[in-house]
Amino acid sequence: MLTKRLIACFDIIGGRVTKAVKFQDNIDVAPAGELADTMYKEQIDELIFYDITASSEKRGIDIETVKSVAKRVFIPFTVGGGIKSLDDMYEALKAGAEKISVDSMAVRNPQIITEGSKAFGAQCVVLSTQVKRVGASPKIPSGFEVFIDGARVATGMDAIEWIRRGQDLGAGEICVNSIDNDGTLAGYDLELMKLAEAAVSVPLIASGGAGAPEHLKALFTETEAQAAIISSMLYSPRMPKNYTVRELKTCLADSGVNVREPLD
Amino acid sequence: MAAIKIIDYKAGNAPSVMHAAGRLGCQADFARCAEDLAGASHIILPGVGSAGATMKSLGELGIINTLEDIVVSQKSALFLGICVGMQILFEHSEEEDAACLGWLKGRVVRFDSSKIRVPQMGWNRVRFRDSGLGTVREDCFYFVNSYHAVPGDSNDTWGTADYGAAFTAAVNRGNIYATQFHVEKSGEAGLRLFKRFLDMRA
Protein backbone atom coordinates (compact mmCIF):
# COMPACT_ATOMS: atom_id res chain seq x y z
CA MET A 1 0.00 0.00 0.00
CA LEU A 2 1.01 3.55 -0.67
CA THR A 3 2.22 5.19 2.53
CA LYS A 4 1.20 8.60 3.87
CA ARG A 5 3.85 11.22 3.25
CA LEU A 6 5.39 13.79 5.57
CA ILE A 7 6.72 16.77 3.66
CA ALA A 8 9.06 19.41 5.06
CA CYS A 9 8.30 22.75 3.48
CA PHE A 10 10.97 25.46 3.31
CA ASP A 11 10.05 29.10 2.81
CA ILE A 12 13.29 30.41 1.41
CA ILE A 13 14.58 33.97 1.46
CA GLY A 14 18.10 34.54 0.10
CA GLY A 15 19.07 30.86 0.36
CA ARG A 16 17.91 30.57 3.98
CA VAL A 17 14.85 28.83 5.40
CA THR A 18 12.42 31.07 7.28
CA LYS A 19 9.21 30.45 9.18
CA ALA A 20 6.08 32.57 9.10
CA VAL A 21 2.81 32.77 10.97
CA LYS A 22 -0.25 33.31 8.80
CA PHE A 23 2.09 34.06 5.89
CA GLN A 24 3.75 36.96 7.78
CA ASP A 25 6.60 37.84 10.14
CA ASN A 26 9.16 35.41 8.75
CA ILE A 27 11.99 34.62 11.12
CA ASP A 28 15.31 33.07 10.10
CA VAL A 29 15.84 29.33 10.73
CA ALA A 30 18.86 27.91 8.86
CA PRO A 31 20.65 27.76 5.49
CA ALA A 32 18.48 25.79 3.02
CA GLY A 33 21.14 23.25 2.04
CA GLU A 34 22.03 22.49 5.65
CA LEU A 35 18.43 21.98 6.74
CA ALA A 36 17.73 19.87 3.63
CA ASP A 37 20.64 17.63 4.65
CA THR A 38 19.29 17.29 8.17
CA MET A 39 15.81 16.46 6.93
CA TYR A 40 17.18 13.91 4.45
CA LYS A 41 19.16 12.18 7.21
CA GLU A 42 16.03 12.09 9.34
CA GLN A 43 14.34 10.37 6.37
CA ILE A 44 11.64 12.88 5.64
CA ASP A 45 9.58 11.64 2.66
CA GLU A 46 9.71 14.74 0.53
CA LEU A 47 10.79 18.39 0.46
CA ILE A 48 9.15 21.51 -0.91
CA PHE A 49 11.02 24.76 -1.50
CA TYR A 50 9.18 28.02 -1.93
CA ASP A 51 11.33 30.89 -3.07
CA ILE A 52 8.91 33.25 -1.39
CA THR A 53 10.41 36.54 -2.50
CA ALA A 54 11.07 35.60 -6.14
CA SER A 55 7.74 36.94 -7.37
CA SER A 56 7.77 40.22 -5.44
CA GLU A 57 11.41 40.82 -6.42
CA LYS A 58 10.43 40.05 -10.02
CA ARG A 59 13.21 37.53 -10.55
CA GLY A 60 13.38 33.85 -11.45
CA ILE A 61 13.71 31.04 -8.96
CA ASP A 62 16.98 30.68 -7.04
CA ILE A 63 18.30 27.90 -9.30
CA GLU A 64 21.67 27.62 -7.54
CA THR A 65 19.96 26.61 -4.31
CA VAL A 66 17.93 24.00 -6.24
CA LYS A 67 21.09 22.59 -7.80
CA SER A 68 23.03 22.41 -4.55
CA VAL A 69 20.18 20.58 -2.83
CA ALA A 70 19.72 18.14 -5.74
CA LYS A 71 23.31 16.97 -5.35
CA ARG A 72 22.87 15.84 -1.78
CA VAL A 73 19.22 14.96 -1.26
CA PHE A 74 17.93 11.74 -2.86
CA ILE A 75 14.24 12.14 -2.24
CA PRO A 76 11.69 13.99 -4.33
CA PHE A 77 11.51 17.71 -4.06
CA THR A 78 9.21 20.35 -5.41
CA VAL A 79 10.08 23.94 -6.12
CA GLY A 80 7.84 26.95 -6.39
CA GLY A 81 8.05 30.72 -6.49
CA GLY A 82 9.16 32.75 -9.46
CA ILE A 83 7.98 30.20 -12.05
CA LYS A 84 6.39 32.13 -14.88
CA SER A 85 6.91 30.09 -18.02
CA LEU A 86 7.60 26.65 -19.45
CA ASP A 87 11.27 27.61 -19.70
CA ASP A 88 11.34 28.34 -15.96
CA MET A 89 9.80 24.93 -15.29
CA TYR A 90 12.28 23.18 -17.56
CA GLU A 91 15.19 24.91 -15.84
CA ALA A 92 13.99 23.86 -12.37
CA LEU A 93 13.40 20.26 -13.48
CA LYS A 94 16.82 20.08 -15.12
CA ALA A 95 18.35 21.44 -11.92
CA GLY A 96 17.00 18.34 -10.17
CA ALA A 97 13.50 19.18 -8.94
CA GLU A 98 10.79 16.51 -9.49
CA LYS A 99 7.81 18.79 -9.40
CA ILE A 100 6.95 22.41 -9.95
CA SER A 101 4.49 24.16 -7.71
CA VAL A 102 2.39 26.95 -9.19
CA ASP A 103 0.19 29.19 -7.06
CA SER A 104 -0.50 32.91 -7.60
CA MET A 105 0.89 32.72 -11.10
CA ALA A 106 -1.57 29.96 -12.03
CA VAL A 107 -4.47 32.15 -10.89
CA ARG A 108 -3.24 34.89 -13.24
CA ASN A 109 -2.48 32.47 -16.07
CA PRO A 110 -4.29 29.12 -15.65
CA GLN A 111 -2.98 27.90 -19.01
CA ILE A 112 0.47 27.41 -17.46
CA ILE A 113 -0.96 24.34 -15.69
CA THR A 114 -2.02 22.80 -19.00
CA GLU A 115 1.18 23.74 -20.78
CA GLY A 116 3.38 22.33 -17.98
CA SER A 117 1.32 19.18 -17.77
CA LYS A 118 1.54 18.56 -21.50
CA ALA A 119 5.25 19.30 -21.70
CA PHE A 120 6.48 17.43 -18.61
CA GLY A 121 3.56 15.23 -17.50
CA ALA A 122 0.79 15.95 -15.00
CA GLN A 123 2.90 14.44 -12.21
CA CYS A 124 5.30 17.39 -12.49
CA VAL A 125 2.70 20.07 -11.89
CA VAL A 126 1.48 20.76 -8.36
CA LEU A 127 -1.25 23.33 -7.95
CA SER A 128 -0.76 25.04 -4.61
CA THR A 129 -3.49 27.29 -3.37
CA GLN A 130 -3.90 29.65 -0.40
CA VAL A 131 -7.36 29.33 1.07
CA LYS A 132 -9.26 31.44 3.62
CA ARG A 133 -12.64 31.00 5.28
CA VAL A 134 -14.88 33.87 4.23
CA GLY A 135 -18.38 32.46 4.80
CA ALA A 136 -20.59 31.02 2.06
CA SER A 137 -22.01 33.47 -0.48
CA PRO A 138 -23.44 33.18 -3.98
CA LYS A 139 -19.98 33.88 -5.40
CA ILE A 140 -18.12 31.66 -2.91
CA PRO A 141 -20.55 28.76 -2.36
CA SER A 142 -18.08 26.63 -0.36
CA GLY A 143 -17.24 29.50 1.98
CA PHE A 144 -13.54 29.09 1.14
CA GLU A 145 -11.88 31.72 -1.04
CA VAL A 146 -8.61 31.66 -2.97
CA PHE A 147 -6.02 34.28 -2.00
CA ILE A 148 -2.76 35.04 -3.77
CA ASP A 149 0.50 36.94 -3.29
CA GLY A 150 1.39 35.71 0.17
CA ALA A 151 -2.27 35.52 1.27
CA ARG A 152 -2.60 39.29 0.87
CA VAL A 153 -4.87 39.54 -2.16
CA ALA A 154 -8.40 38.12 -2.38
CA THR A 155 -9.36 36.76 -5.80
CA GLY A 156 -13.13 36.37 -5.50
CA MET A 157 -12.69 32.74 -6.59
CA ASP A 158 -14.22 29.78 -4.79
CA ALA A 159 -11.37 27.54 -3.60
CA ILE A 160 -13.13 24.24 -4.21
CA GLU A 161 -14.12 25.33 -7.71
CA TRP A 162 -10.56 26.40 -8.37
CA ILE A 163 -8.94 23.12 -7.37
CA ARG A 164 -11.48 21.19 -9.45
CA ARG A 165 -10.58 23.39 -12.38
CA GLY A 166 -6.89 22.95 -11.61
CA GLN A 167 -7.30 19.19 -11.92
CA ASP A 168 -9.19 19.59 -15.20
CA LEU A 169 -6.42 21.85 -16.50
CA GLY A 170 -3.89 19.10 -15.82
CA ALA A 171 -2.48 19.47 -12.28
CA GLY A 172 -1.22 16.10 -11.00
CA GLU A 173 -1.37 16.99 -7.33
CA ILE A 174 -2.99 19.72 -5.26
CA CYS A 175 -1.62 21.35 -2.14
CA VAL A 176 -4.28 23.06 -0.02
CA ASN A 177 -2.89 25.71 2.33
CA SER A 178 -5.15 27.00 5.07
CA ILE A 179 -4.35 30.67 5.68
CA ASP A 180 -6.44 30.66 8.87
CA ASN A 181 -4.54 27.74 10.38
CA ASP A 182 -1.04 28.55 9.08
CA GLY A 183 1.44 28.70 11.95
CA THR A 184 -1.30 28.46 14.60
CA LEU A 185 -0.29 24.91 15.67
CA ALA A 186 -4.01 24.21 16.14
CA GLY A 187 -4.29 21.39 13.59
CA TYR A 188 -5.20 21.11 9.91
CA ASP A 189 -8.48 22.42 8.54
CA LEU A 190 -10.14 19.02 8.16
CA GLU A 191 -13.39 20.46 6.84
CA LEU A 192 -11.51 22.13 4.01
CA MET A 193 -9.68 18.90 3.19
CA LYS A 194 -12.92 16.92 3.10
CA LEU A 195 -14.43 19.35 0.62
CA ALA A 196 -11.26 19.14 -1.47
CA GLU A 197 -11.13 15.35 -1.49
CA ALA A 198 -14.70 15.14 -2.72
CA ALA A 199 -13.94 17.58 -5.54
CA VAL A 200 -10.85 15.97 -7.11
CA SER A 201 -9.30 12.55 -7.74
CA VAL A 202 -5.63 13.57 -7.81
CA PRO A 203 -3.52 13.28 -4.63
CA LEU A 204 -3.95 16.02 -2.03
CA ILE A 205 -1.44 17.61 0.31
CA ALA A 206 -2.68 19.38 3.45
CA SER A 207 -0.82 22.42 4.71
CA GLY A 208 -1.20 24.79 7.61
CA GLY A 209 -1.70 24.23 11.30
CA ALA A 210 0.24 21.14 12.34
CA GLY A 211 1.53 21.52 15.88
CA ALA A 212 1.34 18.06 17.40
CA PRO A 213 1.47 14.43 16.21
CA GLU A 214 -2.26 14.11 16.94
CA HIS A 215 -2.94 16.63 14.16
CA LEU A 216 -1.25 14.35 11.65
CA LYS A 217 -3.14 11.37 12.95
CA ALA A 218 -6.45 13.24 12.64
CA LEU A 219 -5.63 14.32 9.09
CA PHE A 220 -4.70 10.83 7.92
CA THR A 221 -7.50 8.97 9.65
CA GLU A 222 -10.34 11.44 9.03
CA THR A 223 -9.54 12.62 5.49
CA GLU A 224 -8.10 11.15 2.29
CA ALA A 225 -5.11 13.52 2.26
CA GLN A 226 -2.06 11.56 1.13
CA ALA A 227 0.53 13.97 2.41
CA ALA A 228 0.99 16.54 5.14
CA ILE A 229 3.21 19.56 5.19
CA ILE A 230 4.96 19.95 8.50
CA SER A 231 7.49 22.60 9.17
CA SER A 232 6.99 24.28 12.56
CA MET A 233 7.00 20.93 14.32
CA LEU A 234 10.31 19.99 12.77
CA TYR A 235 12.36 23.14 13.03
CA SER A 236 10.55 26.30 14.11
CA PRO A 237 12.43 28.10 16.88
CA ARG A 238 9.01 29.36 18.01
CA MET A 239 7.98 25.84 19.04
CA PRO A 240 8.47 24.78 22.65
CA LYS A 241 9.40 21.35 21.30
CA ASN A 242 10.59 20.19 17.90
CA TYR A 243 9.95 16.61 16.79
CA THR A 244 12.15 14.29 14.77
CA VAL A 245 10.68 12.61 11.70
CA ARG A 246 11.18 9.28 13.44
CA GLU A 247 9.15 10.39 16.47
CA LEU A 248 6.30 11.51 14.24
CA LYS A 249 6.33 8.33 12.16
CA THR A 250 6.46 6.09 15.19
CA CYS A 251 3.47 7.90 16.62
CA LEU A 252 1.56 7.56 13.32
CA ALA A 253 2.46 3.88 12.92
CA ASP A 254 1.28 3.22 16.49
CA SER A 255 -2.04 4.82 15.50
CA GLY A 256 -2.39 2.45 12.55
CA VAL A 257 -1.40 4.96 9.86
CA ASN A 258 0.62 3.37 7.04
CA VAL A 259 3.95 5.24 6.88
CA ARG A 260 7.41 4.54 5.50
CA GLU A 261 9.41 3.41 8.51
CA PRO A 262 12.83 5.03 8.78
CA LEU A 263 15.71 2.68 7.97
CA ASP A 264 18.36 2.25 10.66
CA MET B 1 36.51 -1.15 -15.54
CA ALA B 2 32.89 -0.07 -15.49
CA ALA B 3 31.73 2.33 -18.19
CA ILE B 4 28.45 3.73 -16.97
CA LYS B 5 26.32 5.65 -19.47
CA ILE B 6 23.23 7.63 -18.53
CA ILE B 7 21.07 8.44 -21.52
CA ASP B 8 20.27 12.17 -21.47
CA TYR B 9 17.29 13.35 -23.47
CA LYS B 10 14.99 16.32 -23.24
CA ALA B 11 12.30 15.18 -20.83
CA GLY B 12 14.48 12.83 -18.77
CA ASN B 13 15.89 13.52 -15.34
CA ALA B 14 19.40 12.32 -16.19
CA PRO B 15 21.07 14.90 -13.86
CA SER B 16 19.33 13.37 -10.80
CA VAL B 17 20.57 9.91 -11.78
CA MET B 18 24.06 11.32 -12.31
CA HIS B 19 23.97 12.87 -8.81
CA ALA B 20 22.99 9.50 -7.34
CA ALA B 21 25.86 7.73 -9.15
CA GLY B 22 28.20 10.45 -7.88
CA ARG B 23 27.01 9.95 -4.31
CA LEU B 24 27.84 6.24 -4.69
CA GLY B 25 31.35 7.11 -5.84
CA CYS B 26 30.75 5.89 -9.40
CA GLN B 27 32.06 7.75 -12.42
CA ALA B 28 29.37 7.98 -15.12
CA ASP B 29 28.92 9.84 -18.41
CA PHE B 30 25.89 11.17 -20.20
CA ALA B 31 25.09 9.53 -23.54
CA ARG B 32 23.45 11.85 -26.04
CA CYS B 33 24.10 9.97 -29.28
CA ALA B 34 24.72 6.39 -30.48
CA GLU B 35 28.52 6.79 -30.43
CA ASP B 36 28.42 7.70 -26.73
CA LEU B 37 27.19 4.18 -25.95
CA ALA B 38 30.30 2.46 -27.34
CA GLY B 39 32.02 0.26 -24.76
CA ALA B 40 29.28 0.68 -22.17
CA SER B 41 29.18 -1.80 -19.28
CA HIS B 42 26.03 -0.24 -17.76
CA ILE B 43 23.36 1.76 -19.56
CA ILE B 44 20.74 3.68 -17.61
CA LEU B 45 17.62 5.10 -19.20
CA PRO B 46 15.95 7.58 -16.83
CA GLY B 47 12.47 8.74 -17.56
CA VAL B 48 9.79 11.23 -16.75
CA GLY B 49 6.89 12.37 -18.89
CA SER B 50 5.06 10.14 -21.34
CA ALA B 51 6.07 6.94 -23.15
CA GLY B 52 5.32 8.47 -26.55
CA ALA B 53 7.42 11.57 -25.90
CA THR B 54 10.28 9.42 -24.62
CA MET B 55 10.19 7.18 -27.72
CA LYS B 56 10.22 10.30 -29.86
CA SER B 57 13.20 11.77 -27.98
CA LEU B 58 15.18 8.54 -28.29
CA GLY B 59 14.35 8.48 -31.99
CA GLU B 60 15.66 12.02 -32.34
CA LEU B 61 18.90 11.07 -30.61
CA GLY B 62 19.25 8.27 -33.19
CA ILE B 63 20.10 5.90 -30.38
CA ILE B 64 17.53 3.10 -30.58
CA ASN B 65 19.27 0.71 -33.02
CA THR B 66 22.58 0.90 -31.19
CA LEU B 67 20.85 0.44 -27.84
CA GLU B 68 19.07 -2.68 -29.10
CA ASP B 69 22.27 -4.04 -30.54
CA ILE B 70 24.20 -3.64 -27.27
CA VAL B 71 21.47 -4.63 -24.82
CA VAL B 72 19.26 -7.10 -26.67
CA SER B 73 21.48 -8.71 -29.34
CA GLN B 74 24.98 -8.70 -27.85
CA LYS B 75 23.89 -8.40 -24.21
CA SER B 76 27.26 -6.78 -23.59
CA ALA B 77 25.92 -4.20 -21.13
CA LEU B 78 23.62 -4.26 -18.15
CA PHE B 79 20.56 -2.09 -18.65
CA LEU B 80 18.48 -0.22 -16.08
CA GLY B 81 15.29 1.56 -17.13
CA ILE B 82 13.66 3.92 -14.64
CA CYS B 83 9.96 4.93 -14.58
CA VAL B 84 9.02 5.71 -18.20
CA GLY B 85 12.38 4.11 -19.01
CA MET B 86 10.74 0.87 -17.84
CA GLN B 87 7.41 1.43 -19.57
CA ILE B 88 8.90 1.82 -23.05
CA LEU B 89 10.53 -1.63 -22.83
CA PHE B 90 7.09 -3.16 -23.47
CA GLU B 91 5.26 -3.42 -26.77
CA HIS B 92 2.68 -0.73 -26.33
CA SER B 93 1.54 2.02 -23.95
CA GLU B 94 -2.05 3.14 -23.59
CA GLU B 95 -0.75 6.65 -22.94
CA GLU B 96 -1.25 8.48 -26.24
CA ASP B 97 -1.48 5.01 -27.89
CA ALA B 98 2.31 4.78 -28.21
CA ALA B 99 4.26 1.97 -29.87
CA CYS B 100 7.25 1.12 -27.67
CA LEU B 101 10.50 -0.87 -27.93
CA GLY B 102 8.97 -4.32 -27.41
CA TRP B 103 12.03 -5.80 -25.68
CA LEU B 104 9.59 -7.35 -23.22
CA LYS B 105 6.19 -8.78 -24.05
CA GLY B 106 3.26 -6.90 -22.63
CA ARG B 107 1.68 -3.47 -22.45
CA VAL B 108 1.36 -0.42 -20.26
CA VAL B 109 -2.07 0.55 -18.93
CA ARG B 110 -3.57 3.33 -16.81
CA PHE B 111 -4.45 2.90 -13.15
CA ASP B 112 -8.20 2.85 -12.58
CA SER B 113 -8.91 6.35 -11.22
CA SER B 114 -12.45 5.37 -10.24
CA LYS B 115 -10.92 3.33 -7.39
CA ILE B 116 -7.72 5.13 -6.42
CA ARG B 117 -6.17 8.56 -6.74
CA VAL B 118 -4.16 8.88 -9.96
CA PRO B 119 -1.28 9.55 -10.35
CA GLN B 120 0.14 7.24 -7.74
CA MET B 121 2.44 9.60 -5.91
CA GLY B 122 4.57 8.58 -2.97
CA TRP B 123 6.39 5.76 -1.23
CA ASN B 124 5.10 2.26 -1.77
CA ARG B 125 6.38 -1.05 -0.42
CA VAL B 126 7.93 -3.32 -3.03
CA ARG B 127 8.66 -7.03 -2.63
CA PHE B 128 11.17 -8.68 -4.95
CA ARG B 129 11.85 -12.13 -6.31
CA ASP B 130 15.53 -13.11 -6.45
CA SER B 131 17.42 -11.95 -9.54
CA GLY B 132 20.98 -11.55 -10.80
CA LEU B 133 21.23 -8.79 -8.19
CA GLY B 134 20.65 -11.38 -5.46
CA THR B 135 18.00 -10.93 -2.80
CA VAL B 136 16.68 -7.38 -2.51
CA ARG B 137 14.80 -6.92 0.72
CA GLU B 138 11.28 -5.53 0.81
CA ASP B 139 11.36 -1.75 1.21
CA CYS B 140 9.57 1.48 0.35
CA PHE B 141 10.48 3.21 -2.91
CA TYR B 142 9.24 6.44 -4.48
CA PHE B 143 6.69 6.23 -7.29
CA VAL B 144 5.13 8.86 -9.52
CA ASN B 145 3.05 7.21 -12.20
CA SER B 146 -0.38 7.12 -13.78
CA TYR B 147 0.43 4.07 -15.91
CA HIS B 148 1.93 0.70 -15.05
CA ALA B 149 3.24 -2.28 -16.99
CA VAL B 150 1.39 -5.57 -17.43
CA PRO B 151 4.10 -8.02 -18.58
CA GLY B 152 3.03 -10.69 -21.05
CA ASP B 153 5.41 -13.12 -19.34
CA SER B 154 4.93 -13.11 -15.57
CA ASN B 155 8.49 -14.41 -15.15
CA ASP B 156 9.66 -10.92 -16.11
CA THR B 157 8.10 -9.41 -12.99
CA TRP B 158 10.91 -8.75 -10.52
CA GLY B 159 9.16 -6.47 -8.00
CA THR B 160 5.52 -6.22 -7.00
CA ALA B 161 3.63 -3.51 -5.09
CA ASP B 162 -0.03 -2.78 -4.33
CA TYR B 163 -2.02 0.25 -5.44
CA GLY B 164 -5.69 -0.62 -5.68
CA ALA B 165 -4.44 -4.04 -6.77
CA ALA B 166 -1.04 -5.71 -7.12
CA PHE B 167 1.00 -4.29 -10.01
CA THR B 168 4.44 -4.90 -11.50
CA ALA B 169 6.82 -2.40 -9.90
CA ALA B 170 10.04 -3.77 -11.38
CA VAL B 171 11.05 -6.17 -14.15
CA ASN B 172 14.10 -8.25 -14.94
CA ARG B 173 14.99 -10.44 -17.87
CA GLY B 174 18.64 -11.46 -18.19
CA ASN B 175 20.75 -8.32 -18.38
CA ILE B 176 17.69 -6.06 -18.50
CA TYR B 177 16.47 -4.48 -15.25
CA ALA B 178 13.85 -1.78 -14.86
CA THR B 179 11.96 -0.12 -12.04
CA GLN B 180 8.73 1.84 -12.16
CA PHE B 181 9.90 3.64 -9.03
CA HIS B 182 12.72 6.17 -8.96
CA VAL B 183 15.84 4.56 -7.48
CA GLU B 184 17.51 7.97 -7.60
CA LYS B 185 14.78 9.51 -5.43
CA SER B 186 14.08 6.65 -3.04
CA GLY B 187 16.47 7.69 -0.29
CA GLU B 188 18.95 5.19 1.07
CA ALA B 189 16.85 2.18 -0.05
CA GLY B 190 17.03 3.44 -3.63
CA LEU B 191 20.75 4.18 -3.45
CA ARG B 192 21.45 0.69 -2.08
CA LEU B 193 19.58 -0.92 -4.96
CA PHE B 194 21.26 1.36 -7.50
CA LYS B 195 24.68 0.49 -6.04
CA ARG B 196 23.99 -3.23 -6.43
CA PHE B 197 23.21 -2.66 -10.08
CA LEU B 198 26.31 -0.53 -10.66
CA ASP B 199 28.54 -3.04 -8.83
CA MET B 200 27.32 -5.97 -10.95
CA ARG B 201 29.31 -7.04 -14.01
CA ALA B 202 27.74 -8.30 -17.25
Side-chain angles (χ1 to χ4, degrees):
Chain A
M1 273 300 294
L2 197 63
T3 58
K4 303 290 186 180
R5 284 174 282 155
L6 299 184
I7 304 176
C9 179
F10 296 175
D11 289 342
I12 296 178
I13 297 176
R16 297 184 65 90
V17 179
T18 65
K19 189 73 198 87
V21 174
K22 299 201 182 210
F23 288 78
Q24 289 174 359
D25 301 327
N26 288 69
I27 55 169
D28 186 71
V29 177
E34 208 174 277
L35 193 56
D37 262 353
T38 306
M39 290 294 114
Y40 178 69
K41 287 187 186 121
E42 283 198 17
Q43 301 183 52
I44 194 82
D45 296 318
E46 198 168 324
L47 294 172
I48 298 184
F49 296 80
Y50 290 129
D51 186 342
I52 58 174
T53 54
S55 291
S56 59
E57 292 171 5
K58 300 201 185 332
R59 57 171 172 79
I61 197 152
D62 176 3
I63 213 76
E64 288 313 312
T65 299
V66 176
K67 280 186 183 163
S68 81
V69 167
K71 283 186 188 137
R72 46 197 195 178
V73 165
F74 300 96
I75 52 173
F77 73 98
T78 301
V79 300
I83 303 279
K84 290 179 291 297
S85 65
L86 275 189
D87 285 346
D88 292 344
M89 288 187 177
Y90 183 59
E91 198 186 0
L93 293 172
K94 271 291 171 199
E98 263 56 58
K99 302 184 246 185
I100 304 298
S101 169
V102 289
D103 189 317
S104 305
M105 202 269 300
V107 171
R108 295 193 174 92
N109 173 24
Q111 280 312 310
I112 193 79
I113 299 173
T114 310
E115 288 170 13
S117 179
K118 281 202 172 131
F120 311 113
Q123 78 288 339
C124 281
V125 183
V126 184
L127 174 62
S128 179
T129 184
Q130 306 157 37
V131 180
K132 194 172 171 64
R133 285 173 181 263
V134 293
S137 64
K139 208 174 170 196
I140 315 279
S142 72
F144 290 94
E145 183 175 354
V146 176
F147 280 62
I148 56 172
D149 296 340
R152 288 187 295 269
V153 180
T155 63
M157 290 160 61
D158 185 280
I160 303 303
E161 265 312 304
W162 171 233
I163 65 169
R164 190 180 287 128
R165 187 164 161 229
Q167 171 179 277
D168 292 345
L169 287 166
E173 187 171 37
I174 291 168
C175 179
V176 183
N177 303 273
S178 165
I179 296 169
D180 305 291
N181 293 32
D182 182 57
T184 60
L185 315 177
Y188 296 96
D189 190 330
L190 301 183
E191 187 191 348
L192 171 59
M193 293 312 296
K194 283 179 190 167
L195 289 173
E197 78 188 30
V200 295
S201 65
V202 295
L204 287 166
I205 305 170
S207 173
E214 295 70 39
H215 298 149
L216 293 166
K217 181 189 164 192
L219 176 75
F220 289 136
T221 52
E222 293 175 37
T223 81
E224 289 181 25
Q226 293 194 335
I229 284 183
I230 44 174
S231 41
S232 297
M233 291 167 82
L234 294 172
Y235 55 76
S236 174
R238 289 192 177 108
M239 287 284 285
K241 167 179 167 47
N242 290 130
Y243 294 86
T244 64
V245 174
R246 187 179 292 268
E247 283 174 320
L248 295 173
K249 290 217 173 164
T250 302
C251 176
L252 286 170
D254 289 347
S255 308
V257 176
N258 188 18
V259 292
R260 174 176 73 113
E261 304 90 354
L263 299 172
D264 291 324
Chain B
M1 183 69 187
I4 301 163
K5 310 287 183 178
I6 302 170
I7 298 176
D8 185 21
Y9 61 96
K10 189 159 189 288
N13 63 338
S16 296
V17 178
M18 181 64 90
H19 293 325
R23 168 74 155 235
L24 295 169
C26 297
Q27 157 69 30
D29 298 301
F30 289 123
R32 300 187 177 103
C33 62
E35 291 72 39
D36 289 347
L37 292 175
S41 63
H42 297 72
I43 297 174
I44 299 148
L45 178 62
V48 292
S50 71
T54 300
M55 286 299 295
K56 187 163 173 273
S57 295
L58 293 179
E60 284 164 4
L61 292 183
I63 214 166
I64 292 175
N65 288 342
T66 305
L67 196 57
E68 290 188 334
D69 184 48
I70 294 172
V71 178
V72 182
S73 305
Q74 298 183 38
K75 303 189 196 320
S76 58
L78 292 161
F79 176 90
L80 177 64
I82 302 172
C83 192
V84 176
M86 163 170 155
Q87 295 179 0
I88 63 160
L89 303 184
F90 291 86
E91 293 161 297
H92 180 265
S93 173
E94 250 179 43
E95 188 176 17
E96 296 160 6
D97 189 23
C100 296
L101 293 172
W103 296 0
L104 301 177
K105 291 207 180 315
R107 64 212 162 85
V108 175
V109 301
R110 194 174 160 85
F111 281 120
D112 181 357
S113 59
S114 68
K115 292 185 188 147
I116 45 173
R117 291 187 183 266
V118 179
Q120 167 178 226
M121 202 175 280
W123 298 77
N124 205 336
R125 208 161 274 121
V126 182
R127 43 197 188 275
F128 296 87
R129 68 157 163 81
D130 286 353
S131 72
L133 296 188
T135 303
V136 177
R137 80 163 195 215
E138 182 174 322
D139 237 322
C140 283
F141 295 87
Y142 188 77
F143 289 82
V144 186
N145 59 312
S146 298
Y147 294 81
H148 66 94
V150 181
D153 182 346
S154 61
N155 291 320
D156 291 343
T157 295
W158 170 34
T160 306
D162 298 303
Y163 194 52
F167 72 95
T168 294
V171 288
N172 161 237
R173 187 181 190 90
N175 58 324
I176 298 171
Y177 292 82
T179 62
Q180 180 58 63
F181 52 83
H182 287 270
V183 289
E184 77 284 10
K185 290 288 171 178
S186 292
E188 295 303 310
L191 291 177
R192 281 178 200 171
L193 183 57
F194 192 33
K195 181 153 184 14
R196 278 196 190 212
F197 173 78
L198 294 177
D199 284 347
M200 192 161 75
R201 294 291 172 264

